[in-house]
Amino acid sequence: MDSAVARERVLDAAEELFYGRGIQSVGMDDIRGASGVSLKRLYQLFPAKEQLVEAYLERRDGRWRGRLAEFVDLRPAPEERLLAVFDWLEEWFGEEGFRGCAWINSYGELGATSDRVATQVRAHKKAFGDYLASLVTAAGRPAALAGPLFLLAEGAMVTAGITRSTRPAAEAREAAGLLLDSR
Amino acid sequence: MDSAVARERVLDAAEELFYGRGIQSVGMDDIRGASGVSLKRLYQLFPAKEQLVEAYLERRDGRWRGRLAEFVDLRPAPEERLLAVFDWLEEWFGEEGFRGCAWINSYGELGATSDRVATQVRAHKKAFGDYLASLVTAAGRPAALAGPLFLLAEGAMVTAGITRSTRPAAEAREAAGLLLDSR
DNA sequence: GCACCTGGAGAACGTACGTTCTCTCCCGTT
DNA sequence: AACGGGAGAGAACGTACGTTCTCCAGGTGC
């Protein structure tokens, strides 16, 4: 099996298991079982579990933001693009196996003990916030609007994860609309 | 040493360690060391770690909501009481050792593996949401306002925890004010 | 055909940790 | 003074898991 293929399989297994059950409760042996890649190879690809965790978060970051941008790009009107973020959240929340925001969960689990994880979470959230800010300014709205919209989105992610409901997305979208109208 | 005193000491130690470093990375031996209560007594009081975790979350829930209500009760005007929630968040975020919302963190760590923890997190969030809703109706505002305010508060907690900043509280408060003005 | 390398399966190792057990000391009672 | 019971210190036990090692099969180049 090609090294690149093995790497993908490992990352696929890691993402499903880490996201679904939490990081610390998944052992390297579980990853081996789910990926079909032997421990030896696994450790050649990722010399330690923490590096696999980082690779998991990093790949997921690219995909997550890519999917969001792709969805938003279907809308041409700047104002609509901004609200589309919340529509996408609703889609995401409704997906089978949705279990909240991977970065918020990872931060709760490892933020206090792993600087590298904490740094990656901050980077991801900053990138999401920056993206939101770019949509705000593209819509010709005051930059100060980005912060509150970000908080609404974060609150929706957390609440959707805990309550296993898609409703927070609609609430956040409505509130976002009101904020946009009020300025 | 009185049993009730030992219990308090254990819970004090558990709260400091669990909240500060996460639950899974704190061993029962750490609790013993920090509390000065022997393992034997510790297990008499809490027959398993999970029960200690539950007791930790439960006691913190009472205290957290108590402190919030106390702060809010300093204001007589219903409208002001609503916004005071965000002022209190700002105070909380600025406290030494603040590390985000204990329940959001615990959910990220154990929500997928411990039903009891997940249930307690949902109960805590529901209680907070209900409290917010009671403030909204007491201010004579439409009940539908409670959801968005809740999301703003949750988003602020998460963001303050990750970025170690008090700023999200002010942003959330400002957005809350705009939402209140817009209806 | 044979030496050699690669990779897989899984045993092995070391450590951490939840939980229990042992031993000893201290205190109150008789 | 003798005794019983509770408490503390910490050893012990079992398990889980991150990581490494061993062994062997199978394929490849001479």
Side-chain angles (χ1 to χ4, degrees):
Chain A
M1 188 194 302
D2 190 339
S3 213
V5 174
R7 192 186 161 86
E8 284 307 295
R9 288 205 190 168
V10 169
L11 285 173
D12 289 345
E15 180 155 5
E16 174 156 353
L17 292 173
F18 286 159
Y19 180 68
R21 307 197 334 228
I23 292 169
Q24 302 195 69
S25 73
V26 171
M28 293 299 269
D29 211 57
D30 297 324
I31 306 266
R32 182 195 56 123
S35 67
V37 172
S38 73
L39 276 184
K40 197 182 197 173
R41 199 95 107 97
L42 216 173
Y43 274 92
Q44 279 169 5
L45 294 164
F46 304 96
K49 187 183 182 181
E50 185 167 24
Q51 295 178 47
L52 176 55
V53 172
E54 285 178 58
Y56 146 62
L57 289 176
E58 194 173 323
R59 193 184 72 163
R60 191 176 170 102
D61 174 58
R63 291 188 172 178
W64 189 90
R65 291 194 288 125
R67 287 212 297 151
L68 169 59
E70 207 177 309
F71 186 92
V72 168
D73 283 345
L74 295 177
R75 332 276 165 118
E79 187 96 357
E80 228 186 314
R81 287 164 66 79
L82 201 36
L83 289 174
V85 170
F86 296 93
D87 292 334
W88 183 73
L89 287 183
E90 185 160 22
E91 267 197 32
W92 177 40
F93 295 170
E95 278 173 18
E96 165 105 9
F98 172 76
R99 219 180 68 73
C101 168
W103 295 271
I104 292 173
N105 291 344
S106 301
Y107 191 83
E109 205 174 341
L110 299 172
T113 49
S114 164
D115 279 342
R116 305 182 72 96
V117 168
T119 302
Q120 256 193 52
V121 173
R122 293 196 185 100
H124 166 80
K125 288 304 181 194
K126 177 170 188 320
F128 175 53
D130 287 350
Y131 178 64
L132 227 45
S134 78
L135 293 179
V136 167
T137 55
R141 298 315 193 94
L145 224 49
L149 294 181
F150 178 78
L151 296 184
L152 282 171
E154 293 296 313
M157 290 181 216
V158 156
T159 305
I162 289 175
T163 64
R164 299 217 180 282
S165 148
T166 64
R167 183 131 182 284
E171 276 179 357
R173 187 199 148 102
E174 200 186 339
L178 290 176
L179 286 179
L180 286 171
D181 289 344
S182 74
R183 290 221 190 171
Chain B
M1 190 194 300
D2 190 339
S3 213
V5 174
R7 193 185 162 87
E8 284 306 295
R9 289 206 189 165
V10 169
L11 285 173
D12 289 345
E15 181 155 4
E16 174 156 353
L17 292 173
F18 286 159
Y19 179 68
R21 307 196 336 226
I23 292 169
Q24 302 195 70
S25 74
V26 171
M28 292 299 269
D29 211 57
D30 296 324
I31 306 267
R32 182 193 56 121
S35 67
V37 172
S38 74
L39 275 184
K40 196 181 197 174
R41 198 98 108 97
L42 216 174
Y43 274 92
Q44 280 169 4
L45 294 165
F46 304 97
K49 187 182 181 181
E50 185 167 24
Q51 295 178 47
L52 176 56
V53 172
E54 286 179 58
Y56 146 62
L57 290 176
E58 195 173 322
R59 193 184 72 163
R60 190 174 171 103
D61 173 58
R63 291 187 174 179
W64 189 90
R65 291 194 288 124
R67 286 211 298 151
L68 169 58
E70 207 178 309
F71 186 92
V72 168
D73 283 345
L74 295 177
R75 331 279 165 118
E79 187 95 357
E80 227 186 315
R81 287 164 66 79
L82 202 34
L83 290 175
V85 170
F86 296 92
D87 292 333
W88 183 73
L89 287 183
E90 185 160 21
E91 266 197 34
W92 177 39
F93 295 171
E95 278 173 19
E96 165 105 9
F98 172 77
R99 218 181 67 73
C101 168
W103 296 271
I104 292 174
N105 291 344
S106 301
Y107 191 83
E109 204 175 341
L110 298 172
T113 49
S114 165
D115 279 341
R116 305 182 72 94
V117 167
T119 302
Q120 256 194 52
V121 172
R122 294 196 186 98
H124 167 80
K125 288 305 181 192
K126 178 172 187 317
F128 175 54
D130 287 350
Y131 178 64
L132 228 44
S134 78
L135 293 179
V136 167
T137 55
R141 299 313 194 95
L145 223 51
L149 294 181
F150 177 78
L151 296 184
L152 281 172
E154 293 296 313
M157 288 180 217
V158 156
T159 305
I162 289 175
T163 63
R164 299 217 181 280
S165 146
T166 64
R167 181 131 182 284
E171 275 178 359
R173 188 199 147 103
E174 199 186 342
L178 288 176
L179 286 178
L180 286 171
D181 289 344
S182 76
R183 289 223 189 170

